[in-house]
């Protein structure tokens, strides 16, 4: 089909063919392909340009998402599909971004663990579960979490427990229920049983059984 007219609007170029059909692509892609009025494009070339444009748009969207906060490769793929990009396009984009270093699940996992430990004071079991839900490989998760010591988790559990002890939920509970409530709370925050037992012993060490 022959291009009979070209019209630029914002970031896009409208390519109008002799048949009346119209193809809208990003200006950068238009320049890359060196398209001009009067060019004849066969169906294969048009399909290729369409494919390149989908990937171009998906990459734009991915970079926009990443500019707000870091994401795992699976998260980016999910979000692209949610925004109506087909699975093949989403997959191509995450592969390209991972190859170029814009997506790095190991680095994402390390940053996520640090943020969670510092800001939310949650246990490693909860962090592990959240990383799984974000599509992080099990090997990466265990490798990153292995760098954290038992002391890190204990310190966070103590801080969280001390804060919880001042809440009405614990203060107003019957004496025999206080430990149970604190135990359940810490368990819900993803701390392991060994850490919780140590915290309970520390918190209630000055109280009579």
């Amino acid at each position: 089909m022959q291009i009979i007219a070209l019209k630029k609007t914002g970031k896009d170029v409208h390519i109008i063919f002799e048949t009346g059909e119209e193809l809208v692509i990003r200006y950068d892609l238009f320049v890359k392909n060196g398209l001009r009025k009067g060019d004849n494009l066969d169906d294969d070339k048009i399909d290729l340009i369409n494919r390149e444009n989908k990937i171009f748009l998906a990459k734009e969207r991915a970079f926009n998402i990443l500019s707000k906060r870091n994401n795992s490769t699976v998260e980016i793929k999910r979000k692209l599909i949610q925004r109506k990009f087909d699975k093949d396009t989403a997959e191509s984009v995450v592969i390209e971004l991972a190859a170029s270093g814009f997506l790095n699940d190991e680095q994402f996992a390390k940053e996520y663990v640090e943020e969670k430990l510092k800001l939310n004071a949650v246990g490693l079991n909860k962090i592990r579960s959240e990383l799984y839900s974000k599509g992080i490989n099990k090997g990466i998760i265990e490798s990153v979490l292995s760098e954290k010591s038992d002391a890190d988790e204990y310190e966070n559990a103590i801080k969280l427990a001390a804060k919880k002890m001042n809440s009405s939920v614990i203060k107003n509970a019957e004496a025999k229920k206080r430990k149970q409530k604190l135990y359940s709370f810490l368990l819900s925050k993803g701390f392991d049983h060994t850490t919780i037992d140590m915290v309970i012993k520390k918190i209630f060490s000055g109280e009579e059984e």
Side-chain angles (χ1 to χ4, degrees):
M1 290 189 292
Q2 186 178 45
I3 299 175
I4 61 170
L6 300 167
K7 180 181 179 182
K8 185 176 185 298
T9 57
K11 295 181 180 180
D12 295 326
V13 173
H14 296 249
I15 302 172
I16 304 167
F17 296 100
E18 58 186 332
T19 59
E21 295 177 63
E22 185 175 325
L23 176 63
V24 182
I25 65 174
R26 278 293 196 249
Y27 176 74
D28 290 358
L29 188 59
F30 169 78
V31 173
K32 175 187 172 184
N33 279 275
L35 300 175
R36 299 176 183 276
K37 182 178 178 181
D39 285 351
N40 283 290
L41 306 181
D42 59 24
D43 290 342
D44 288 342
K45 181 62 174 178
I46 292 174
D47 288 343
L48 178 60
I49 292 173
N50 255 322
R51 173 68 177 158
E52 289 179 339
N53 194 58
K54 285 181 181 179
I55 292 176
F56 193 96
L57 293 174
K59 283 173 65 177
E60 278 189 344
R61 175 61 68 176
F63 280 124
N64 181 262
I65 294 170
L66 290 170
S67 70
K68 295 179 174 63
R69 74 167 181 84
N70 202 3
N71 283 251
S72 69
T73 54
V74 168
E75 283 183 307
I76 288 293
K77 185 175 179 180
R78 286 174 183 164
K79 290 176 181 179
L80 290 177
I81 292 173
Q82 288 172 357
R83 286 162 174 79
K84 310 305 181 184
F85 291 102
D86 62 82
K87 291 182 179 180
D88 287 343
T89 298
E91 181 69 21
S92 295
V93 168
V94 297
I95 289 174
E96 183 178 340
L97 294 183
S100 56
F102 290 105
L103 285 175
N104 185 316
D105 280 353
E106 183 174 1
Q107 185 61 36
F108 169 82
K110 288 181 178 180
E111 292 175 359
Y112 190 85
V113 170
E114 290 298 328
E115 179 182 4
K116 284 292 181 177
L117 289 177
K118 289 180 180 179
L119 301 181
N120 296 335
V122 295
L124 296 184
N125 283 339
K126 188 173 182 64
I127 295 174
R128 178 181 285 107
S129 177
E130 291 175 354
L131 287 174
Y132 276 131
S133 73
K134 294 178 180 297
I136 302 299
N137 177 274
K138 181 180 179 180
I140 291 177
I141 294 174
E142 297 309 323
S143 174
V144 170
L145 292 182
S146 69
E147 297 175 2
K148 299 301 167 187
S149 67
D150 293 339
D152 291 325
E153 182 149 44
Y154 177 74
E155 183 180 348
N156 270 340
I158 281 289
K159 289 178 181 178
L160 203 58
K163 184 177 180 180
K164 190 66 176 179
M165 286 295 291
N166 290 321
S167 70
S168 59
V169 173
I170 301 294
K171 279 186 174 181
N172 298 333
E174 296 178 8
K176 62 181 181 180
K177 292 288 186 180
R178 297 173 74 210
K179 286 184 181 180
Q180 294 176 6
K181 286 183 177 294
L182 185 59
Y183 199 104
S184 295
F185 170 72
L186 292 175
L187 193 62
S188 74
K189 290 295 184 179
F191 294 100
D192 62 68
H193 294 286
T194 301
T195 300
I196 296 175
D197 287 339
M198 291 171 61
V199 170
I200 294 292
K201 184 177 180 180
K202 174 71 173 177
I203 293 291
F204 292 95
S205 61
E207 297 186 12
E208 293 184 3
E209 297 292 336

